[in-house]
Amino acid sequence: MRPSPWLKRFVDVREEEVGALLWSFLYFFTLMCGYFVLKPLRDAMGTAGGVKGLKWQWMFTATFAVMMVAVPAYSALVARWPRKRVIPFIYRFFLLNLLGFFVLFKLEVEPQAVARVFYVWLSVYNLFVVSVFWSFMADLFASEQGKRLYGLIAGGGTAGVIAGLLLARNLSVPLGHIHLIFITAVLLECSARCVQQLARWAHDVQHPPPSVEGPVGGGILAGLKLLATSPFLLALGLQVVFYSVTSTFLYLLQVNLVDAKTLDEAERVAKFANIELWVQVLTLVLQSLVTARLLERLGLGVALAVTPVLTAVGFLGLAAMPSVWLLIGVRSLRGATHYALERPSRELLYTTVSREERYKAKSFIDTMVYRGGDALAAWTEDGLKVLGFGVAGVLLATAPVAGLWLAVSLYLSRHARIRTRAQEVPALASAPGDAPAR
């Protein structure tokens, strides 16, 4: 498929890559649209009777505990089965879960307990489906392709986020917020079908060796072992922890500010959707116009550094004036730079590691490590409040985390350049017509 002049304005795509780019865009669009249809519902439950009676640190700890079971189970699947079977299976498993939740909500079976389980489940679901997506992308595309294509692919996710939030905001009241579950179920099936199309493209165009399309192999705890023995993966894990910790502090501040207003549950869904919508509109603009150009011209170091710097500035500003509008501004800028610059750059780093590291260590980092950061932040906030710290004190006490985050990001960019050059040496010795084995 020949790239259109319109498409070439946004991305440097080659003729044989157009199909994969469009399927990847649609894949991430449906995945993120489905999640963000439900995220305002989860957040509304977090400020209503379902979850409000339970301390936040226990919710985050419960999510981390579920991850301790889910990650080894996922590692066992990818060790035995090829990606084109495992990924659709995972998405359809989550689809069945959604239908089960709909029945429980509709029949009003133990509403408070089910709301808490749903809150934890959606937190697990989000990290798993997105982590699997980016592992698959790193498996499909070489590092050079990722630099050119990841910006627009990430834009597909942001467009999906905006669509999901608009659906949640406009349909939660007239349709009933519980019925939003059906929208996500349909979109999950679309995501599974995109995986099958991309697997077919990789087989027909990229011509990977059988080992790349087959099972990953290894043990169920391989992700933890790989993380413990690789300084590069440890740094990636620290970067995720710092992002997770600072995100959780902002999320808890958002919940407290929204909770100060008296709203029913459907109105809360719309309120949270509005906040997320501002974040994602700015993200989409940056992803479409800035990401690819910045990665190619200024490099990973700058792309990875922007979000930590904005986080430090934002925390200081919110400590001085904690308001809903300033929170929206901080979250919009921080979220936009994270999704448009830092996240695609971090995912690009995984193109320099082995398949087992890509599927197992990455999954461990994106799920266990991320939710561990959530739990750490929640317990830290509770401890600081016990010591007498208010909102401003908590933000000021945790602002230095952004400095550590910046240092780790610069380390990763430097070592990524070394790894990429090391991979290019054997590639230069290959025959000119060889296709990249991703």
Side-chain angles (χ1 to χ4, degrees):
M1 183 185 300
R2 186 179 299 277
S4 67
W6 179 86
L7 185 60
K8 290 287 288 184
R9 292 179 185 176
F10 293 94
V11 61
D12 179 18
V13 59
R14 294 163 189 169
E15 185 172 342
E16 69 276 9
E17 299 168 339
V18 174
L21 176 65
L22 296 178
W23 279 114
S24 299
F25 184 96
L26 180 63
Y27 177 10
F28 207 21
F29 175 91
T30 56
L31 207 61
M32 297 307 291
C33 182
Y35 169 64
F36 273 86
V37 164
L38 296 182
K39 186 176 184 295
L41 173 61
R42 184 205 70 173
D43 292 341
M45 288 180 176
T47 57
V51 179
K52 189 178 178 182
L54 197 62
K55 286 189 174 183
W56 284 105
Q57 58 264 38
W58 287 112
M59 295 303 298
F60 288 124
T61 303
T63 304
F64 178 69
V66 173
M67 288 295 189
M68 293 180 67
V69 177
V71 171
Y74 170 72
S75 294
L77 284 174
V78 297
R80 298 188 59 183
W81 302 101
R83 66 192 183 189
K84 65 182 179 181
R85 295 181 62 183
V86 169
I87 300 176
F89 171 81
I90 291 171
Y91 291 167
R92 286 163 180 155
F93 171 76
F94 281 125
L95 191 157
L96 292 175
N97 290 174
L98 278 171
L99 298 180
F101 276 117
F102 175 81
V103 172
L104 293 174
F105 284 134
K106 203 68 177 173
L107 297 178
E108 298 184 352
V109 178
E110 296 291 338
Q112 189 177 67
V114 173
R116 290 173 178 175
V117 172
F118 180 76
Y119 188 97
V120 172
W121 178 89
L122 194 63
S123 300
V124 172
Y125 161 85
N126 169 43
L127 291 184
F128 247 106
V129 296
V130 174
S131 177
V132 168
F133 168 81
W134 282 114
S135 293
F136 190 37
M137 291 298 103
D139 221 11
L140 286 176
F141 300 113
S143 179
E144 182 275 330
Q145 291 175 303
K147 288 180 180 179
R148 293 185 289 105
L149 305 179
Y150 272 13
L152 190 63
I153 291 172
T158 305
V161 170
I162 293 172
L165 291 171
L166 289 172
L167 288 171
R169 187 182 71 174
N170 296 321
L171 297 180
S172 60
V173 175
L175 188 64
H177 53 281
I178 302 304
H179 294 87
L180 297 175
I181 287 175
F182 282 115
I183 298 175
T184 300
V186 172
L187 290 169
L188 257 181
E189 177 60 27
C190 293
S191 299
R193 293 180 182 271
C194 288
V195 172
Q196 293 168 339
Q197 291 292 332
L198 284 166
R200 190 174 297 119
W201 172 86
H203 182 272
D204 294 341
V205 177
Q206 297 283 65
H207 303 299
S211 60
V212 173
E213 291 192 317
V216 175
I220 63 173
L221 296 178
L224 177 60
K225 294 177 182 177
L226 291 166
L227 184 64
T229 56
S230 169
F232 187 73
L233 292 175
L234 278 173
L236 279 167
L238 283 174
Q239 190 192 42
V240 169
V241 167
F242 295 145
Y243 175 73
S244 173
V245 166
T246 53
S247 296
T248 300
F249 281 122
L250 286 175
Y251 175 75
L252 294 177
L253 176 60
Q254 172 181 307
V255 168
N256 290 333
L257 291 174
V258 173
D259 194 35
K261 301 180 181 296
T262 304
L263 302 169
D264 63 30
E265 190 163 356
E267 289 173 327
R268 288 171 189 266
V269 172
K271 182 69 174 178
F272 281 111
N274 280 328
I275 293 174
E276 292 290 345
L277 188 60
W278 282 105
V279 174
Q280 301 304 328
V281 168
L282 182 56
T283 301
L284 183 60
V285 172
L286 287 177
Q287 283 171 329
S288 301
L289 303 177
V290 176
T291 301
R293 293 175 176 84
L294 188 62
L295 284 175
E296 288 187 6
R297 295 178 185 177
L298 301 182
L300 286 173
V302 173
L304 289 169
V306 174
T307 308
V309 172
L310 282 177
T311 298
V313 174
F315 271 40
L316 294 174
L318 285 167
M321 188 177 64
S323 69
V324 172
W325 288 107
L326 182 58
L327 175 67
I328 291 174
V330 171
R331 284 209 58 209
S332 297
L333 288 172
R334 183 179 183 274
T337 56
H338 167 69
Y339 290 113
L341 300 176
E342 194 221 17
R343 183 65 189 263
S345 300
R346 176 166 24 113
E347 300 304 338
L348 194 59
L349 298 176
Y350 284 103
T351 63
T352 67
V353 303
S354 68
R355 284 193 79 224
E356 189 171 21
E357 290 173 321
R358 199 174 297 145
Y359 276 96
K360 294 186 176 181
K362 183 183 188 315
S363 173
F364 187 87
I365 290 170
D366 288 349
T367 55
M368 288 279 288
V369 172
Y370 190 103
R371 287 310 178 200
D374 284 344
L376 174 64
W379 285 105
T380 300
E381 188 211 35
D382 188 64
L384 291 173
K385 285 183 176 179
V386 169
L387 294 174
F389 285 73
V391 171
V394 170
L395 291 172
L396 288 174
T398 54
V401 171
L404 297 174
W405 182 7
L406 176 61
V408 170
S409 297
L410 296 177
Y411 165 86
L412 283 169
S413 66
R414 181 168 62 86
H415 280 261
R417 288 195 298 270
I418 296 172
R419 282 170 166 259
T420 301
R421 284 197 294 267
Q423 287 182 338
E424 288 172 352
V425 171
L428 291 173
S430 302
D434 288 349
R438 300 305 305 171

